Amino acid sequence: MWAMVLNNLRTPLEWTELPDRQPTSGQIRVNVTACGVCRTDLHVVDGELPDPRAPIIPGHEIVGRIDAIGAGVKGLTIGERVGIPWLGHTCGICPYCSVNRENLCDHPVFTGYTRDGGFATATIADARFAFPLGEAGRDVSLAPLLCAGLIGWRSLTMAGSGRKIGLYGFGAAAHILTQVARHQGRSVFAFTRPGDVATQSFARTLGATWAGGSEEMPPEPLDAAIIFATVGDLVPLALKAVRKGGRVVCAGIHMNDIPSFPYALLWEERQLLSVANLTRQDGIDFLRQTPKMDIVTHTTTYPLKNANQALADLRAGLFDGAAVLVP
Ligand SMILES: [Zn+2]
Ligand SMILES: [Zn+2]
């Protein structure tokens, strides 16, 4: 197999030939056909997450077909198309796993962070954490659903049932979530980098009611806001934009420091919370509904070998929607 390997933090990924790996008990081997590039991959490459590992193969929005099955795997077949997400394994017995909050597991394994991921021609996964994808939809279009879509979905659930939803940071997750929220009959208010009129018009074409810069106030108070950008300064701005009792959900795995702000912004039962990882049930719930939602993912594809370029373009905000690597 071939892979783009992170050998040292803060150095480019290296195109490397590795011996073929065999699935052990409970595992599957998947021939990767598409792997999305997520902002979390940038955090992995930059060493911004706790206890970074190297060498590691990043990538956790994996679509591919099973080509080998380990002992004891049930319900999956050779040739079946599956998706492999960020949550790669949980312990099943910690206090969080015991109460259906496996996203907070004390001993998790994360694809592309603590276990090799999908910037490769093949990968190994715990079969219980792979999602069967069926045959509807193209591999490249489905890949961004596996993290951008799923984390967006969990964030929207955490945001509550309000109709007016603000999205701060209009990248891969927000462009999917706008379509999900519209399908649910909600209104979306899109906040981009100040002056980024191209992304603002992209948001409107996807159905956003309003789009503007992150320092602007929306035309009416929001019921909830979800922050996808890694910018801590957005937290007080989002609190200011939500109504009494409204919620602000921080959806990223990493954010720079949140500046101090007057208590009045939180007062009146506004809530500030974060979303971490996903549960398998999130994936089942979301992927069951996506075929009915007619989600169109806007993708920019790169050959797997060009993963460093894809990461650089993501960092620079050079494309709308999501980047996807194709082996
Ligand atoms: Zn656990
Ligand atoms: Zn991700």
PDB file of all heavy atoms in Angstrom, residues 37-41 60-61 86 146-148 151, ligand 2:
ATOM      1  N   VAL A  37     -10.625  15.868   3.389  1.00  0.00           N
ATOM      2  CA  VAL A  37      -9.599  16.587   4.149  1.00  0.00           C
ATOM      3  C   VAL A  37     -10.339  17.536   5.089  1.00  0.00           C
ATOM      4  O   VAL A  37     -11.123  18.367   4.648  1.00  0.00           O
ATOM      5  CB  VAL A  37      -8.674  17.387   3.218  1.00  0.00           C
ATOM      6  CG1 VAL A  37      -7.613  18.127   4.015  1.00  0.00           C
ATOM      7  CG2 VAL A  37      -8.041  16.448   2.196  1.00  0.00           C
ATOM      8  N   CYS A  38     -10.086  17.359   6.389  1.00  0.00           N
ATOM      9  CA  CYS A  38     -10.825  18.076   7.429  1.00  0.00           C
ATOM     10  C   CYS A  38      -9.876  19.036   8.133  1.00  0.00           C
ATOM     11  O   CYS A  38      -8.667  18.822   8.171  1.00  0.00           O
ATOM     12  CB  CYS A  38     -11.385  17.051   8.407  1.00  0.00           C
ATOM     13  SG  CYS A  38     -12.149  17.742   9.877  1.00  0.00           S
ATOM     14  N   ARG A  39     -10.450  20.078   8.731  1.00  0.00           N
ATOM     15  CA  ARG A  39      -9.607  21.008   9.484  1.00  0.00           C
ATOM     16  C   ARG A  39      -8.836  20.300  10.602  1.00  0.00           C
ATOM     17  O   ARG A  39      -7.718  20.669  10.929  1.00  0.00           O
ATOM     18  CB  ARG A  39     -10.471  22.133  10.069  1.00  0.00           C
ATOM     19  CG  ARG A  39      -9.695  23.198  10.789  1.00  0.00           C
ATOM     20  CD  ARG A  39     -10.433  24.519  10.827  1.00  0.00           C
ATOM     21  NE  ARG A  39     -10.534  25.148   9.538  1.00  0.00           N
ATOM     22  CZ  ARG A  39      -9.568  25.894   8.991  1.00  0.00           C
ATOM     23  NH1 ARG A  39      -8.435  26.093   9.625  1.00  0.00           N
ATOM     24  NH2 ARG A  39      -9.716  26.424   7.800  1.00  0.00           N
ATOM     25  N   THR A  40      -9.436  19.251  11.141  1.00  0.00           N
ATOM     26  CA  THR A  40      -8.743  18.485  12.185  1.00  0.00           C
ATOM     27  C   THR A  40      -7.435  17.883  11.653  1.00  0.00           C
ATOM     28  O   THR A  40      -6.470  17.734  12.403  1.00  0.00           O
ATOM     29  CB  THR A  40      -9.672  17.382  12.729  1.00  0.00           C
ATOM     30  OG1 THR A  40     -10.827  18.014  13.287  1.00  0.00           O
ATOM     31  CG2 THR A  40      -8.999  16.552  13.797  1.00  0.00           C
ATOM     32  N   ASP A  41      -7.400  17.543  10.370  1.00  0.00           N
ATOM     33  CA  ASP A  41      -6.145  17.048   9.788  1.00  0.00           C
ATOM     34  C   ASP A  41      -5.055  18.120   9.885  1.00  0.00           C
ATOM     35  O   ASP A  41      -3.879  17.799  10.086  1.00  0.00           O
ATOM     36  CB  ASP A  41      -6.348  16.625   8.326  1.00  0.00           C
ATOM     37  CG  ASP A  41      -7.332  15.466   8.198  1.00  0.00           C
ATOM     38  OD1 ASP A  41      -7.221  14.508   8.982  1.00  0.00           O
ATOM     39  OD2 ASP A  41      -8.208  15.540   7.325  1.00  0.00           O
ATOM     40  N   HIS A  60      -9.752  11.044   8.129  1.00  0.00           N
ATOM     41  CA  HIS A  60     -10.819  10.356   8.858  1.00  0.00           C
ATOM     42  C   HIS A  60     -12.186  10.582   8.212  1.00  0.00           C
ATOM     43  O   HIS A  60     -13.198  10.554   8.884  1.00  0.00           O
ATOM     44  CB  HIS A  60     -10.822  10.812  10.319  1.00  0.00           C
ATOM     45  CG  HIS A  60     -10.977  12.296  10.463  1.00  0.00           C
ATOM     46  ND1 HIS A  60      -9.903  13.154  10.467  1.00  0.00           N
ATOM     47  CD2 HIS A  60     -12.069  13.083  10.578  1.00  0.00           C
ATOM     48  CE1 HIS A  60     -10.339  14.399  10.587  1.00  0.00           C
ATOM     49  NE2 HIS A  60     -11.654  14.385  10.643  1.00  0.00           N
ATOM     50  N   GLU A  61     -12.186  10.850   6.920  1.00  0.00           N
ATOM     51  CA  GLU A  61     -13.455  10.916   6.169  1.00  0.00           C
ATOM     52  C   GLU A  61     -13.300   9.932   5.005  1.00  0.00           C
ATOM     53  O   GLU A  61     -13.194  10.323   3.857  1.00  0.00           O
ATOM     54  CB  GLU A  61     -13.707  12.323   5.631  1.00  0.00           C
ATOM     55  CG  GLU A  61     -13.913  13.367   6.726  1.00  0.00           C
ATOM     56  CD  GLU A  61     -14.199  14.758   6.169  1.00  0.00           C
ATOM     57  OE1 GLU A  61     -13.494  15.195   5.225  1.00  0.00           O
ATOM     58  OE2 GLU A  61     -15.117  15.399   6.671  1.00  0.00           O
ATOM     59  N   TRP A  86     -14.059   9.473  12.209  1.00  0.00           N
ATOM     60  CA  TRP A  86     -13.071   9.881  13.232  1.00  0.00           C
ATOM     61  C   TRP A  86     -13.061   8.915  14.420  1.00  0.00           C
ATOM     62  O   TRP A  86     -12.000   8.511  14.883  1.00  0.00           O
ATOM     63  CB  TRP A  86     -13.440  11.300  13.656  1.00  0.00           C
ATOM     64  CG  TRP A  86     -12.754  11.882  14.840  1.00  0.00           C
ATOM     65  CD1 TRP A  86     -13.326  12.148  16.060  1.00  0.00           C
ATOM     66  CD2 TRP A  86     -11.400  12.333  14.928  1.00  0.00           C
ATOM     67  NE1 TRP A  86     -12.405  12.726  16.893  1.00  0.00           N
ATOM     68  CE2 TRP A  86     -11.214  12.858  16.222  1.00  0.00           C
ATOM     69  CE3 TRP A  86     -10.325  12.340  14.036  1.00  0.00           C
ATOM     70  CZ2 TRP A  86     -10.002  13.375  16.655  1.00  0.00           C
ATOM     71  CZ3 TRP A  86      -9.113  12.867  14.468  1.00  0.00           C
ATOM     72  CH2 TRP A  86      -8.952  13.372  15.752  1.00  0.00           C
ATOM     73  N   LEU A 146     -18.685  12.246   6.338  1.00  0.00           N
ATOM     74  CA  LEU A 146     -18.220  11.387   7.437  1.00  0.00           C
ATOM     75  C   LEU A 146     -17.590  12.142   8.598  1.00  0.00           C
ATOM     76  O   LEU A 146     -17.417  11.590   9.675  1.00  0.00           O
ATOM     77  CB  LEU A 146     -17.255  10.329   6.897  1.00  0.00           C
ATOM     78  CG  LEU A 146     -18.029   9.260   6.121  1.00  0.00           C
ATOM     79  CD1 LEU A 146     -17.148   8.524   5.143  1.00  0.00           C
ATOM     80  CD2 LEU A 146     -18.709   8.296   7.079  1.00  0.00           C
ATOM     81  N   CYS A 147     -17.235  13.410   8.395  1.00  0.00           N
ATOM     82  CA  CYS A 147     -16.856  14.210   9.563  1.00  0.00           C
ATOM     83  C   CYS A 147     -17.557  15.562   9.500  1.00  0.00           C
ATOM     84  O   CYS A 147     -18.320  15.901  10.396  1.00  0.00           O
ATOM     85  CB  CYS A 147     -15.353  14.405   9.685  1.00  0.00           C
ATOM     86  SG  CYS A 147     -14.946  15.334  11.190  1.00  0.00           S
ATOM     87  N   ALA A 148     -17.331  16.313   8.435  1.00  0.00           N
ATOM     88  CA  ALA A 148     -17.989  17.623   8.315  1.00  0.00           C
ATOM     89  C   ALA A 148     -19.495  17.462   8.488  1.00  0.00           C
ATOM     90  O   ALA A 148     -20.131  18.201   9.246  1.00  0.00           O
ATOM     91  CB  ALA A 148     -17.660  18.234   6.954  1.00  0.00           C
ATOM     92  N   ILE A 151     -20.261  15.803  12.317  1.00  0.00           N
ATOM     93  CA  ILE A 151     -20.048  16.736  13.430  1.00  0.00           C
ATOM     94  C   ILE A 151     -21.054  17.880  13.328  1.00  0.00           C
ATOM     95  O   ILE A 151     -21.594  18.351  14.323  1.00  0.00           O
ATOM     96  CB  ILE A 151     -18.587  17.261  13.436  1.00  0.00           C
ATOM     97  CG1 ILE A 151     -17.621  16.105  13.727  1.00  0.00           C
ATOM     98  CG2 ILE A 151     -18.407  18.392  14.434  1.00  0.00           C
ATOM     99  CD1 ILE A 151     -17.707  15.527  15.130  1.00  0.00           C
TER     100      ILE A 151
HETATM  101 ZN    ZN B   2     -12.897  15.942  10.870  1.00  0.00          ZN
END
